[in-house]
Amino acid sequence: MSGNKRYFIGIFILAVMLIAELLVFFLLSKQKDIAKQKEVEFALAQLSKFPELVTAKYRVDSLYCIDGRRNRINLLGISLWQIERYACWKIKSEVIAGYDWDKIKWQMSKDKVILQVPAPELLGVNYKKGKLVYAKNWGEFSLREKDFMPVIRRRAFKTARELGIFADSEQGLEILSGLLEEKINLPVKIEPPAENK
Amino acid sequence: MSVIFRFDNVYLMKWIFRGLIALVILILVIEIGIFIRPKNLPSSTQSLSLTFTRAFPGNELVLAKGYYGTELRKEKGSAPIYLEGVVRVGIKLEDLMIEEREGVIYIFYPSPRLLGVDLAHYLDFSEELDEEFHNQVLRSANFYLFQQAGKEGILKEAEIKLRKLLSQLSKVIYPDKPVIISPESKRGKIERE
């Protein structure tokens, strides 16, 4: 076999080997992508068991005061002497804000995982207890939950928002993305959902 | 130029052959390097600290926060002064100790303590101002607010949250290792055992 023919066959074999290697390389990287995707899916499923990480809870006391007039002397349905009356209650409540897990979506790009997360939202204001702080000329206590709760709910939520309840929820999400990064060894980016952009 | 691209040029064929061998070996080495090398992960005790540091850059972990109200009376039945404000309780992250001994992860946490109190608002219900009592209450307003939050269990609530948080984080970071989470005060006892 002449020298150049031998080299030609050698080159041909090497070229075939090279193509085969590239094919293996391509298949392996595809498989790696699928494995990574499954890994992310598994890690997120695991993290979703701990919703406390993305939820913030604040105790909020609100003062609820009412005033009015009361008949002191009532003669045949005609009030002869009316007095001012005034009472304040301390209403304890619990404000919970955070994310709804079902609304957290994710997608994987080549070198990072993107978590599409809507803004945190108010999940509830729970009434705990009411306590009379001060009463003036208030005969009987006729405070009903349905009367004060709409006001208290609004006020407690406003206070919690001013105290940074949403920022605390976002911090919980930061921990979550940090954990995800640890688990999958890829950077995780938090973004608003596509429709909010 | 035509001389260079002729296939009967043995010298050129020889170098193409050598070049291809080098390329095949290089690709093989890269493939092996990518798919066989061990993952370069941080050591396990470091990873929890890293996660915490990344999540809480301020080094302060607020565990319980509330807007508390408390009323103070000079004597029983008298009109009160009502105080309300923010109470924050938590830990310093640098006080969190994470160790690994004989395959077991030990996390020792400090007792949650007061991180801050801010009086936001007050209301004096008395009809005649008792200046001395009024000023004394306002001077110590932060103390009274923290005392009230303590009575309502803010420290206990913070400790429960901390334990829960540490347990959740460690389950994710060390899924296959036993983890012992304990208050710093019980460290000596655990070490003796």
Side-chain angles (χ1 to χ4, degrees):
Chain A
M1 201 183 278
S2 66
N4 62 344
K5 201 171 179 185
R6 204 180 62 200
Y7 278 125
F8 185 77
I9 293 167
I11 288 168
F12 179 75
I13 292 168
L14 282 175
V16 170
M17 273 173 76
L18 201 67
I19 290 166
E21 266 186 3
L22 289 173
L23 203 67
V24 167
F25 199 87
F26 174 75
L27 288 175
L28 280 176
S29 61
K30 261 272 177 265
Q31 203 181 22
K32 205 180 153 198
D33 279 355
I34 293 167
K36 202 75 176 168
Q37 207 146 348
K38 284 216 166 113
E39 204 183 326
V40 177
E41 234 166 90
F42 179 72
L44 271 170
Q46 242 185 327
L47 292 173
S48 70
K49 288 178 199 160
F50 313 126
E52 291 86 359
L53 284 181
V54 288
T55 307
K57 188 171 76 177
Y58 284 3
R59 237 297 297 280
V60 177
D61 288 349
S62 312
L63 201 62
Y64 179 71
C65 298
I66 43 175
D67 55 5
R69 299 184 82 79
R70 180 183 169 202
N71 296 333
R72 179 117 290 178
I73 298 172
N74 201 342
L75 193 68
L76 301 168
I78 303 161
S79 61
L80 295 178
W81 185 20
Q82 281 195 328
I83 52 164
E84 296 262 351
R85 64 179 186 170
Y86 182 74
C88 282
W89 286 264
K90 180 171 89 173
I91 310 285
K92 297 178 186 181
S93 60
E94 205 171 63
V95 184
I96 305 164
Y99 301 90
D100 180 353
W101 262 106
D102 298 335
K103 289 183 188 162
I104 298 179
K105 307 270 180 260
W106 67 277
Q107 65 183 56
M108 220 176 111
S109 75
K110 201 167 179 130
D111 53 350
K112 63 175 181 267
V113 171
I114 299 167
L115 281 183
Q116 290 190 328
V117 186
E121 54 189 289
L122 177 73
L123 299 177
V125 180
N126 303 325
Y127 166 55
K128 295 301 238 183
K129 213 160 95 180
K131 185 193 171 199
L132 183 74
V133 171
Y134 177 69
K136 187 185 171 190
N137 300 328
W138 202 269
E140 69 284 352
F141 304 138
S142 56
L143 192 67
R144 289 175 305 178
E145 198 178 321
K146 66 170 187 175
D147 294 333
F148 66 82
M149 222 28 224
V151 180
I152 291 301
R153 192 170 285 126
R154 258 199 319 275
R155 213 179 287 168
F157 172 52
K158 187 172 172 271
T159 308
R161 195 172 52 190
E162 281 167 8
L163 289 186
I165 196 162
F166 289 141
D168 272 6
S169 292
E170 280 165 5
Q171 200 174 41
L173 196 70
E174 285 291 322
I175 305 177
L176 189 94
S177 68
L179 282 175
L180 198 61
E181 275 183 20
E182 292 279 340
K183 283 204 80 74
I184 59 175
N185 220 7
L186 268 184
V188 175
K189 204 176 164 212
I190 299 170
E191 278 184 2
E195 63 265 25
N196 292 4
K197 276 184 194 171
Chain B
M1 286 297 282
S2 61
V3 177
I4 296 170
F5 291 106
R6 275 175 62 187
F7 280 102
D8 57 351
N9 187 335
V10 179
Y11 182 74
L12 181 69
M13 297 285 263
K14 201 166 145 184
W15 276 106
I16 290 174
F17 182 71
R18 283 175 184 169
L20 274 174
I21 287 181
L23 201 62
V24 166
I25 291 170
L26 186 72
I27 290 178
L28 258 176
V29 168
I30 291 172
E31 275 182 9
I32 291 166
I34 288 173
F35 297 104
I36 297 177
R37 77 186 165 129
K39 282 183 180 173
N40 185 22
L41 291 172
S43 77
S44 54
T45 46
Q46 267 184 336
S47 60
L48 185 60
S49 315
L50 280 174
T51 308
F52 268 108
T53 318
R54 191 160 35 193
F56 309 103
N59 191 36
E60 237 177 36
L61 175 57
V62 179
L63 293 160
K65 191 152 119 182
Y67 191 78
Y68 287 86
T70 185
E71 69 273 18
L72 293 137
R73 292 169 212 274
K74 193 169 186 186
E75 55 210 38
K76 208 178 169 188
S78 65
I81 296 177
Y82 181 78
L83 309 168
E84 52 186 24
V86 188
V87 180
R88 289 187 311 276
V89 158
I91 57 161
K92 293 254 181 221
L93 280 175
E94 62 198 17
D95 297 337
L96 204 63
M97 307 291 281
I98 303 157
E99 290 167 16
E100 186 174 2
R101 269 178 282 156
E102 293 157 11
V104 180
I105 306 284
Y106 291 88
I107 303 174
F108 297 107
Y109 63 84
S111 298
R113 59 189 174 88
L114 179 70
L115 294 178
V117 187
D118 297 307
L119 173 72
H121 185 243
Y122 74 91
L123 201 61
D124 194 340
F125 286 100
S126 32
E127 279 170 14
E128 279 176 38
L129 180 70
D130 180 341
E131 212 167 319
E132 195 191 329
F133 178 62
H134 185 94
N135 291 341
Q136 185 259 316
V137 168
L138 289 188
R139 260 199 311 273
S140 313
N142 288 355
F143 165 76
Y144 292 127
L145 280 170
F146 179 55
Q147 196 183 39
Q148 180 65 26
K151 260 190 231 164
E152 293 184 21
I154 195 171
L155 292 171
K156 195 77 207 154
E157 187 192 320
E159 189 174 348
I160 291 169
K161 187 173 174 194
L162 178 63
R163 285 191 71 97
K164 206 168 176 180
L165 195 67
L166 290 173
S167 147
Q168 288 172 350
L169 293 176
S170 55
K171 263 184 210 159
V172 177
I173 298 172
Y174 319 113
D176 43 8
K177 280 189 181 165
V179 179
I180 293 174
I181 299 166
S182 165
E184 171 82 287
S185 54
K186 289 186 183 164
R187 187 180 183 158
K189 197 181 160 197
I190 286 174
E191 277 175 348
R192 276 196 299 277
E193 280 168 5

